[in-house]
Amino acid sequence: MNERASPDESRDWRVRLLGRILHSYFALTRSMTMGVRAACFDQDGRIFLVRHSYIAGWHMPGGGVERHETVEQALAKELREEGNLVISGRPRLFHVYLNNRTSKRDHVVFFRVQVEQTAPRKPNLEIVESGFFALDALPMGTTKATYRRLKELEGDETPSNYW
């Protein structure tokens, strides 16, 4: 016996397939990546900076937001991993930037936070150096983006929409 699917059943299959194809296309062409970064201040008003092994300069700590992770969860994780830092109080969202120097779809969610360090951060393969610095004594090699974000935080410059 040769059974054939009704026109409605065949159409439903095609509609579902088309939906999956369109969803995949939009995920590849319109998706974005998101990261977090923070200006981390200790009780003395010093900022915490890191120097990575894979990129030049001193940066504020941060990293990517993973699937099923909120930006605040990602922030807490990255600060713990990169500096043994624990957030005191509530992180203050400052701005969201398009990081078009990295890609056309990368966004950085930038916070200002008060932190405490649970233990000094020992160098490893990712973070070769880190520490707290007075704002008037930042280390040689601090990136231009770090200086720009600090001027924006201080109200000396209007926040840019680009990292």
Side-chain angles (χ1 to χ4, degrees):
M1 189 159 141
N2 188 1
E3 290 188 65
R4 299 181 80 190
S6 71
D8 288 338
E9 289 173 348
S10 297
R11 186 175 157 266
D12 289 346
W13 176 83
R14 284 186 234 131
V15 168
R16 284 195 311 271
L17 178 61
L18 179 61
R20 285 183 188 261
I21 291 169
L22 287 173
H23 180 76
S24 297
Y25 170 77
F26 289 132
L28 291 172
T29 61
R30 296 186 183 169
S31 64
M32 64 178 211
T33 56
M34 184 175 291
V36 292
R37 198 167 288 268
C40 301
F41 294 95
D42 69 4
Q43 65 184 7
D44 298 324
R46 298 176 305 163
I47 189 163
F48 185 81
L49 298 177
V50 297
R51 195 168 64 81
H52 295 93
S53 60
Y54 54 86
I55 189 168
W58 287 87
H59 303 262
M60 290 180 259
V65 178
E66 302 296 331
R67 287 179 190 243
H68 310 293
E69 187 176 55
T70 68
V71 292
E72 286 190 24
Q73 289 169 336
L75 179 66
K77 175 192 70 182
E78 291 297 334
L79 299 185
R80 184 178 59 254
E81 290 176 357
E82 292 194 2
N84 294 327
L85 302 175
V86 176
I87 299 169
S88 304
R90 185 121 174 101
R92 194 176 89 211
L93 173 63
F94 183 75
H95 199 64
V96 179
Y97 300 86
L98 173 62
N99 187 9
N100 61 347
R101 294 173 200 259
T102 299
S103 86
K104 296 183 283 186
R105 60 190 191 110
D106 185 48
H107 291 77
V108 178
V109 182
F110 183 53
F111 291 89
R112 184 186 201 291
V113 297
Q114 286 295 128
V115 296
E116 293 178 26
Q117 191 172 43
T118 59
R121 175 67 162 81
K122 293 180 181 175
N124 66 11
L125 292 175
E126 180 188 4
I127 307 294
V128 295
E129 209 171 351
S130 64
F132 286 96
F133 301 92
L135 291 174
D136 62 355
L138 297 178
M140 184 74 93
T142 298
T143 66
K144 291 178 183 179
T146 299
Y147 278 111
R148 282 194 307 271
R149 300 299 80 85
L150 290 173
K151 286 181 183 261
E152 292 172 359
L153 282 170
E154 293 170 3
D156 295 340
E157 289 186 14
T158 302
S160 170
N161 287 318
Y162 301 94
W163 187 258

